Amino acid sequence: MQGRDLPDQLAAFLARRQSGLVEFRRDLHMHPELAFAETRTTQRVEERLRAAGLAPKRLPEGTGLVCDIGDGGPTVALRGDIDALPLTDEKDVPYRSTVPGAAHACGHDVHTTALLGAGLFLSQQARAGALPGRVRLLFQPAEELPGGARAVVDVGGLDGVDRVFALHCDPRLLCGQVGLRVGPITAACDQLAVRLSGPGGHTARPHLTSDLVYALGKVVTELPAALSRRVDPRAGFSLVWGRVSAGSAPNVIPDDAVAEGTVRCLDDDAWHSAPDIVKELVETVVGGYGATAEVDYRRGVPPTVNEAESVRMLRDAVGLALGPEALAPTPQSLGGEDFAWYLEHVPGALARLGTHPPDAVGPMLDLHRGTFDVDERAIGHGVRVLVSAALTALWEGARGPAAEDALGDGALM
């Protein structure tokens, strides 16, 4: 298949499938499932793939699927996450969540549906002998936990994969736009708990105690400042406290205290060194107050660092699928995304899929809120971009680095 034929073939495919894909997305939206409990979602996707003649395999936990299309040649993976958030759906729409306390408030139903649509199109191409390699579909559970990406990697989901791509809904971008960025696009996100203990006592005699409230105040204020002098400022290192607790009476110095927060950064090296630096600084801060410090540093996800060549392929793919006007810059985010675990193993890139209706009136429907919704035309855009990204990478992989551009002069940006 020549690259210049792809937009017409995708247009014809979506003319037949768009309404069915919207219906599928709405069904998922009405029946959200939380991390590692996505049984119905997995079954619904599996049924569609098997009906297309494909052979998806469930992950050992019972949720999530890996499905190969084609064989031989280079291999490109496409990821779609399938889990929902523990939020109440607050929208007044016919497809509102029917599950109390669960909602697709991050667009994973769109990611899943777009990946399904891409898989159905690519399976047609494979049957027609027009797939120059293999595409692996990763319907990943538990992105929000996180943990699903590591589960995929642990069972060999990236074995033999040369490159991996994914999309994530972005309500800051208009529907029809795709945001791209080389380098860090999302941050590492870890959880930190600092627990102080020591002899308490009366506030009239602080010298006979370990004044844990004062010591905790030092930790809360001095630790973020000290980190800014121990880590390269270009790493985007951020420690923000979310809970501070100590004592129960105004005239009693407690014998325990705790501060909890998140540590985020955009640099992979800084992320790997963060636990040791944090623990060292906590000991330094509380050392003069006679308190004992226990640091519980819980790893979350690494920063998602887009590889330059993969972003270039995505840029070419977006230009081919949607036109150069669809390309948009996107800022770094300090939010976490477990797609980062894939990029620890193979090159790849995450793109942002615009979901904001161009004619919308009122505030942006932001992610992780019960009011979140999308312009459903984004589903078709997602299908186009995923297909084009996979084929762009496969065409180039099949040609080799010295081969002539199969799309023709000027077809790629």
Side-chain angles (χ1 to χ4, degrees), residues 333-389:
S333 167
L334 286 181
E337 163 60 73
D338 82 349
F339 183 72
W341 287 117
Y342 299 122
L343 301 185
E344 293 270 298
H345 297 273
V346 298
L350 173 76
R352 301 196 183 281
L353 180 68
T355 62
H356 190 68
D359 55 352
V361 177
M364 178 184 71
L365 302 176
D366 203 3
L367 300 170
H368 286 224
R369 299 189 65 181
T371 54
F372 176 70
D373 206 353
V374 304
D375 184 326
E376 291 177 315
R377 290 173 292 184
I379 297 170
H381 299 324
V383 171
R384 292 173 189 267
V385 173
L386 289 173
V387 166
S388 300

Side-chain angles (χ1 to χ4, degrees), residues 221-231 277 281-282 284-285:
T221 57
E222 292 187 9
L223 187 57
L227 281 169
S228 71
R229 293 300 180 266
R230 288 291 303 274
V231 178
I277 295 176
L281 289 175
V282 168
T284 300
V285 170

Side-chain angles (χ1 to χ4, degrees), residues 13 19 65 96 122 151 155 157 213 237 251 365 374 407:
F13 172 82
S19 61
L65 298 163
R96 180 180 179 179
L122 290 167
V155 299
V213 176
F237 207 95
N251 63 342
L365 302 176
V374 304
L407 298 182

Side-chain angles (χ1 to χ4, degrees), residues 117-139:
L120 296 178
F121 179 86
L122 290 167
S123 69
Q124 293 181 1
Q125 299 304 120
R127 290 194 298 272
L131 194 63
R134 178 173 57 182
V135 177
R136 179 167 296 165
L137 310 179
L138 305 175
F139 290 93

